[in-house]
Amino acid sequence: MASQAQRFKYVNRGLSYNLQRWMYYKSFFPSLGLWRDDMRRETPILKEALKRISRQDLEARNFRIARATVLYNAKIELPREQWTELDDDKLYLTPHVEAIKKELKERKDFEKSK
Amino acid sequence: MALNLSRSALRRLRGRHYGTLAPVTRTEDMKVLTLGNKVKVVALDNINTSSSIGQVSFYIKAGSRYETPYQQGVTHYLRATALNHAGPFSGFKLTKSIDLAGGNLSVQTTREHTIYTVEGPVYEMADFTKYLGAILTKPKYDTWYRESCEWRVIEDLAKYKVNNDQVAFEELHRAAYRYNLGNSVYCPESMVGSVNSAMLTYFLVDHFRGEDITVVGSGIEQGELEKFVEPLETLDEVYEEIMDLLEDPRGRTSFDYSGSEYAIAVPEREEVDIVDMEDIFKIPHLPAKYYGGELRIKNTSPDATFIFAKQGVSYNNERDLLASGILQMILGTGISMKYGSGGGSHKLSSAVCQATDRKCSATGININYSDSGLFGYAVRGTGYEMRAAVEAANKVFKETLSDIKSSDIEAAKNKLKSAYGYYAENDANLMYEIGTKGRALDLNALFQSIDQISQQDVAKFADKVKASPSTASSAGNIMNTPVLQELE
């Protein structure tokens, strides 16, 4: 694949960061322009989290997913300049998902302890 | 000293008040301590030391008079969102833990204060005060927590609109004082969906400061109360999340809905011609100014309420306050015998009952705030009889203001003393007095001052009342209720 033909560039920011970056570009989704939180499965918890993020984030996420679908169906990738970089990839859904999980767990523990 | 009409206005907000079981000391044993975070703490020692229910109340000078004109309805939303996700505790945990421990948390709002009360068994007061502290200092007003509380606001408003007395009472204040004290305790209809978290947080930062908070506890010792309240860090000191909001002035006015919520471009503030924003922020801190006017609200109930008021006196001015109380008792405060009719010795009531064959009733009202007040009468009854009732009541009002007999004054003094006595029986009222006015209600001194009021004092106060502009408000089936100008 085109991504694997390039040489990996070691950035001067520590070993764990470079390891993370190497694994990131080994996965396929940055070449389609997706972020990590776009790859989450659709569960009820995710649906509740989607109600809590801002409108900008939601619309950007929808655009990215739609673009990635089109690219995947046509069996092409984005050019290398437009791949998502690790620094640009923000985890916008994870805090909300964790908070929702905590709330559900609290309720469940209360029901169990009754 | 509030009459039944305005007392119901106090009690309309949530709060099943179970109160304390043991009586509370009434006077001097109370020490007011100011802590490092400028919060004033008062602990009342119970006479009956084996009481098992304690109560801690936070009285905060953040009533609806402190809402700026763009921020109206904030206090109602504060009441509705009180039990929703505060600090490290989620709303679920708060309600369940307080409930299971046998406690009771309530929020009330008056025009001048917001009151958070938590009651419960004495050994649980530590935890309860911790929860209350979290609600006051670390609330979270994200959209999803707030929107799940909106049903409370809508329910309150639905109950309020049907109640003519409350509608007339709120509109009376709006007509009398347009800005500060005119703000209703209820959220206006236009603001029901649009109170957002920026407004709420800014209201808290501006008005829930240390010096605005007084904590009154009963059933709990002074040292313990201090221990729980001392570590509270009020919002204006420690709320890091909104520090960047504070640097952005547009966040405070909340005219600009930032790009993440709305896709349409909002013009920059410099491009739009707006009135000087700074004036709007000063309005809550100005003293209340009495304007006068009339407001009428029609709805489809068969009854109507009409309230007429002139400028009264504040509760800080003790001589005039007692003179106004005496005058109110001369006018009459409704019917004092259960199932009675006709009003007896109450002038207003008997005149109105005679004029309308007992279909309407009237009472004198005397409302006092910290820097202003209202004095007048209220008439309520079936819609068709209102004209006769209001004209009779107005006649009695004018006659009483111009001609005060000393026999009336003696009877009124006794009635006033007994009214204060009934008021002081309720422990909730005593704590309210300490929390809002800073000093305890001393019945003996009060009775002595009442005895010293002379006819000249009352006559002077009546002249002041006569000379002020009038305010009127009516609500309900007002088709036959006279307009204010017809009564002058």
Side-chain angles (χ1 to χ4, degrees):
Chain A
M1 299 191 91
S3 55
Q4 288 171 349
Q6 298 166 5
R7 281 185 70 80
F8 180 73
K9 210 174 87 157
Y10 188 87
V11 172
N12 194 10
R13 271 184 64 179
L15 184 59
S16 68
Y17 176 76
N18 282 285
L19 191 57
Q20 192 187 10
R21 217 168 124 254
W22 186 72
M23 287 299 299
Y24 191 76
Y25 289 117
K26 275 276 179 206
S27 2
F28 181 50
F29 64 86
S31 62
L32 293 180
L34 287 171
W35 293 5
R36 281 169 284 170
D37 270 337
D38 300 340
M39 302 291 293
R40 283 180 179 265
R41 275 180 311 149
E42 183 88 10
T43 62
I45 294 182
L46 189 84
K47 285 200 191 119
E48 176 64 34
L50 284 176
K51 289 189 194 142
R52 296 189 178 192
I53 53 177
S54 65
R55 182 168 163 160
Q56 238 173 16
D57 285 345
L58 188 61
E59 292 182 353
R61 171 199 157 92
N62 291 340
F63 170 76
R64 272 180 258 124
I65 291 178
R67 178 179 64 180
T69 322
V70 169
L71 289 171
Y72 189 79
N73 286 335
K75 299 190 184 166
I76 54 175
E77 293 173 350
L78 289 175
R80 180 65 181 87
E81 308 87 53
Q82 293 179 24
W83 288 17
T84 48
E85 301 295 323
L86 186 56
D87 300 325
D88 299 335
D89 178 343
K90 298 203 170 37
L91 290 173
Y92 55 93
L93 274 179
T94 310
H96 295 293
V97 166
E98 297 301 319
I100 294 170
K101 276 192 196 161
K102 234 169 78 167
E103 285 169 23
L104 285 175
K105 179 170 176 297
E106 206 179 35
R107 256 173 229 265
K108 228 168 62 164
D109 287 345
F110 177 73
E111 298 288 327
K112 275 196 192 152
S113 75
K114 266 209 272 200
Chain B
M1 167 60 192
L3 159 77
N4 292 340
L5 185 64
S6 54
R7 184 98 64 77
S8 71
L10 257 180
R11 291 276 171 266
R12 68 179 144 247
L13 319 144
R14 37 203 74 251
R16 316 155 278 165
H17 187 90
Y18 297 128
T20 56
L21 289 181
V24 170
T25 53
R26 275 140 174 81
T27 51
E28 316 74 33
D29 292 345
M30 154 196 123
K31 283 186 306 249
V32 178
L33 260 166
T34 311
L35 299 179
N37 50 4
K38 299 191 214 131
V39 175
K40 292 201 268 283
V41 176
V42 180
L44 305 169
D45 298 319
N46 283 351
I47 294 173
N48 182 2
T49 49
S50 65
S51 81
S52 52
I53 292 193
Q55 174 189 340
V56 175
S57 297
F58 280 67
Y59 294 85
I60 305 165
K61 282 207 188 106
S64 66
R65 77 177 281 176
Y66 295 104
E67 294 172 356
T68 45
Y70 82 89
Q71 224 179 22
Q72 287 183 15
V74 163
T75 40
H76 198 177
Y77 266 81
L78 268 182
R79 282 206 307 277
T81 58
L83 272 178
N84 215 14
H85 207 110
F89 314 110
S90 77
F92 183 75
K93 181 168 157 73
L94 271 177
T95 41
K96 287 294 175 186
S97 21
I98 293 184
D99 235 3
L100 289 177
N104 184 15
L105 182 105
S106 59
V107 190
Q108 300 179 345
T109 312
T110 64
R111 284 201 150 72
E112 306 211 293
H113 292 93
T114 306
I115 307 168
Y116 289 81
T117 309
V118 72
E119 304 156 311
V122 167
Y123 47 86
E124 299 278 352
M125 293 315 289
D127 288 332
F128 287 176
T129 318
K130 200 170 56 173
Y131 295 141
L132 205 49
I135 293 176
L136 286 174
T137 55
K138 297 192 206 97
K140 290 221 177 88
Y141 289 126
D142 301 306
T143 319
W144 51 92
Y145 295 131
R146 220 178 54 244
E147 280 175 359
S148 62
C149 293
E150 240 171 54
W151 64 271
R152 291 196 181 108
V153 176
I154 297 173
E155 181 196 358
D156 277 349
L157 278 177
K159 282 195 249 177
Y160 158 75
K161 276 194 288 194
V162 183
N163 189 343
N164 290 336
D165 289 336
Q166 284 180 14
V167 172
F169 189 73
E170 301 288 335
E171 298 298 316
L172 181 79
H173 285 78
R174 176 62 75 187
Y177 313 96
R178 302 299 163 82
Y179 297 107
N180 317 1
L181 284 173
N183 285 337
S184 158
V185 174
Y186 290 96
C187 185
E189 291 278 321
S190 51
M191 294 291 288
V192 167
S194 11
V195 176
N196 58 16
S197 55
M199 283 187 204
L200 285 163
T201 24
Y202 270 114
F203 187 76
L204 275 124
V205 168
D206 287 337
H207 298 114
F208 275 48
R209 300 167 303 175
E211 54 254 31
D212 294 330
I213 303 182
T214 312
V215 184
V216 181
S218 83
I220 183 171
E221 298 194 8
Q222 179 86 5
E224 284 198 32
L225 194 59
E226 276 176 55
K227 196 171 61 167
F228 304 140
V229 174
E230 179 84 54
L232 283 182
E233 294 165 324
T234 50
L235 271 177
D236 53 332
E237 296 169 21
V238 194
Y239 209 76
E240 289 104 34
E241 288 100 272
I242 60 159
M243 280 313 178
D244 36 88
L245 266 187
L246 282 175
E247 284 150 22
D248 174 17
R250 293 181 299 174
R252 210 182 200 111
T253 62
S254 78
F255 284 178
D256 170 32
Y257 296 92
S258 60
S260 63
E261 285 191 68
Y262 282 67
I264 29 176
V266 177
E268 295 290 325
R269 199 181 125 184
E270 297 81 49
E271 297 168 3
V272 185
D273 190 13
I274 309 180
V275 156
D276 189 1
M277 283 297 132
E278 297 311 305
D279 290 333
I280 296 188
F281 294 121
K282 284 193 204 133
I283 287 178
H285 302 286
L286 294 173
K289 182 158 183 263
Y290 177 88
Y291 289 88
E294 183 177 22
L295 275 172
R296 297 163 72 89
I297 307 273
K298 185 179 189 321
N299 62 35
T300 54
S301 62
D303 295 335
T305 307
F306 174 88
I307 311 186
F308 177 95
K310 291 188 176 261
Q311 187 173 15
V313 72
S314 82
Y315 58 63
N316 285 327
N317 182 353
E318 182 153 353
R319 278 195 93 76
D320 273 348
L321 174 70
L322 297 175
S324 71
I326 290 178
L327 201 54
Q328 179 191 16
M329 292 297 157
I330 294 178
L331 281 174
T333 50
I335 299 172
S336 41
M337 298 289 281
K338 204 168 167 181
Y339 305 122
S341 71
S345 67
H346 302 275
K347 286 196 175 149
L348 269 179
S349 224
S350 38
V352 162
C353 288
Q354 225 175 7
T356 64
D357 191 25
R358 286 175 285 133
K359 293 217 175 78
C360 298
S361 72
T363 140
I365 58 168
N366 181 12
I367 306 164
N368 311 104
Y369 298 107
S370 59
D371 53 4
S372 185
L374 294 170
F375 184 87
Y377 62 88
V379 182
R380 51 195 295 225
T382 45
Y384 188 67
E385 310 282 344
M386 284 300 282
R387 185 166 285 273
V390 170
E391 284 170 1
N394 200 34
K395 198 154 145 276
V396 169
F397 188 66
K398 283 199 184 129
E399 280 171 6
T400 316
L401 279 186
S402 35
D403 174 31
I404 304 173
K405 305 192 192 66
S406 41
S407 53
D408 286 341
I409 291 191
E410 288 310 310
K413 278 188 191 173
N414 289 333
K415 280 189 207 164
L416 188 62
K417 283 185 198 167
S418 77
Y420 267 110
Y422 279 121
Y423 180 69
E425 285 284 306
N426 191 352
D427 287 341
N429 290 338
L430 293 176
M431 297 184 70
Y432 178 77
E433 291 281 316
I434 297 177
T436 53
K437 293 171 192 162
R439 40 177 206 278
L441 185 68
D442 188 357
L443 271 184
N444 291 329
L446 200 61
F447 285 5
Q448 282 171 5
S449 320
I450 293 179
D451 283 329
Q452 287 165 4
I453 303 282
S454 65
Q455 190 180 358
Q456 282 82 11
D457 296 326
V458 183
K460 249 195 303 187
F461 174 73
D463 288 334
K464 257 195 279 189
V465 166
K466 254 201 305 194
S468 89
S470 328
T471 317
S473 79
S474 38
N477 188 4
I478 55 173
M479 54 185 186
N480 206 13
T481 314
V483 173
L484 175 65
Q485 278 74 13
E486 295 179 44
L487 298 173
E488 301 278 286

